[in-house]
Amino acid sequence: MSKQDEKKNKKSSEKSGIGREIWEYVRMTVVVVVVVILLEQFVIINARIPSPSMQNTIMTGDQIFGSRLAYLNSDPERYDIVIFYYPDDESQKFIKRVIGLPGETVRIVDGKVYINDSETPLDDSFCPETPLGDWGPYTVPEDHYFMLGDNRNVSKDSRYWVNTYVARDKIIGKAVLRYWPITDLSLIK
């Protein structure tokens, strides 16, 4: 084999090595993109908080992950913070706290929430200020939930919506983790 043939073979081998390496990067990138898309469609939901309605639990501008699998084998419970399709415009996603469960009657007196004519109001220690106002009574239909924001004096929630309740099948997931800002990285309780 001549020196010229050896140089050609070496260049050809280098080109095919570079081509293989580029193909591996392209293939790896495609796999990562597909995995991320599948995770976001079936496992997690990524949300940015646009308003102060959930302060001080979740602040305006926070970014959170929610679990789409949280209610696969169970139902939402009182005080869960959930992400759902807004009943008056399902193109929008909202995040609020579950307060009224299916079949319950919710009444708000002097800002305090009472369930089924209980004498004792629900815990509202997560509210940043004393809630105001009288609302209800609201009788929550089967397979629906009554939602309130933690910052009740500014939250537009079940009290104000035309379609007062959130259907079970419109709940996308449960808020699980605040990941931004990174200094506030924490589980959402």
Side-chain angles (χ1 to χ4, degrees):
M1 184 181 275
S2 73
K3 287 188 178 190
Q4 227 175 11
D5 288 340
E6 284 179 21
K7 284 182 183 177
K8 283 182 184 178
N9 282 344
K10 188 176 179 182
K11 284 183 181 180
S12 175
S13 172
E14 287 174 2
K15 284 182 182 177
S16 68
I18 291 171
R20 253 185 270 123
E21 193 169 324
I22 290 171
W23 169 246
E24 288 300 318
Y25 282 118
V26 167
R27 192 172 75 164
M28 181 178 65
T29 301
V30 167
V31 167
V32 167
V33 167
V34 167
V35 167
V36 167
I37 289 171
L38 289 174
L39 279 173
E40 185 146 307
Q41 290 297 312
F42 300 106
V43 179
I44 63 170
I45 183 166
N46 182 19
R48 184 183 161 281
I49 308 307
S51 75
S53 69
M54 287 301 294
Q55 286 182 194
N56 287 332
T57 307
I58 305 170
M59 304 301 285
T60 304
D62 283 358
Q63 298 221 351
I64 65 164
F65 285 131
S67 171
R68 291 181 185 270
L69 303 177
Y71 302 119
L72 200 58
N73 295 314
S74 65
D75 290 321
E77 296 177 7
R78 188 176 340 278
Y79 300 122
D80 284 357
I81 297 174
V82 298
I83 303 159
F84 55 92
Y85 293 108
Y86 173 42
D88 291 344
D89 178 2
E90 291 186 9
S91 69
Q92 296 181 55
K93 295 177 187 131
F94 272 32
I95 183 167
K96 303 283 181 209
R97 193 178 291 272
V98 174
I99 296 297
L101 303 175
E104 293 182 334
T105 299
V106 178
R107 181 183 204 123
I108 302 169
V109 179
D110 293 327
K112 299 289 184 189
V113 179
Y114 298 87
I115 301 295
N116 296 335
D117 296 321
S118 170
E119 303 265 331
T120 307
L122 293 180
D123 174 34
D124 64 0
S125 59
F126 44 80
C127 294
E129 59 189 27
T130 305
L132 305 171
D134 295 341
W135 304 86
Y138 303 96
T139 301
V140 184
E142 288 304 312
D143 295 321
H144 287 75
Y145 296 85
F146 185 85
M147 307 291 187
L148 291 176
D150 288 1
N151 194 0
R152 304 237 171 103
N153 294 330
V154 301
S155 180
K156 300 302 177 212
D157 46 41
S158 285
R159 298 170 294 171
Y160 297 99
W161 302 335
V162 172
N163 298 295
T164 306
Y165 311 102
V166 176
R168 170 71 174 84
D169 64 352
K170 300 302 178 186
I171 295 175
I172 304 166
K174 180 179 180 179
V176 180
L177 175 75
R178 174 192 354 252
Y179 69 90
W180 191 261
I182 196 75
T183 55
D184 292 332
L185 178 70
S186 60
L187 293 175
I188 298 171
K189 298 179 182 179

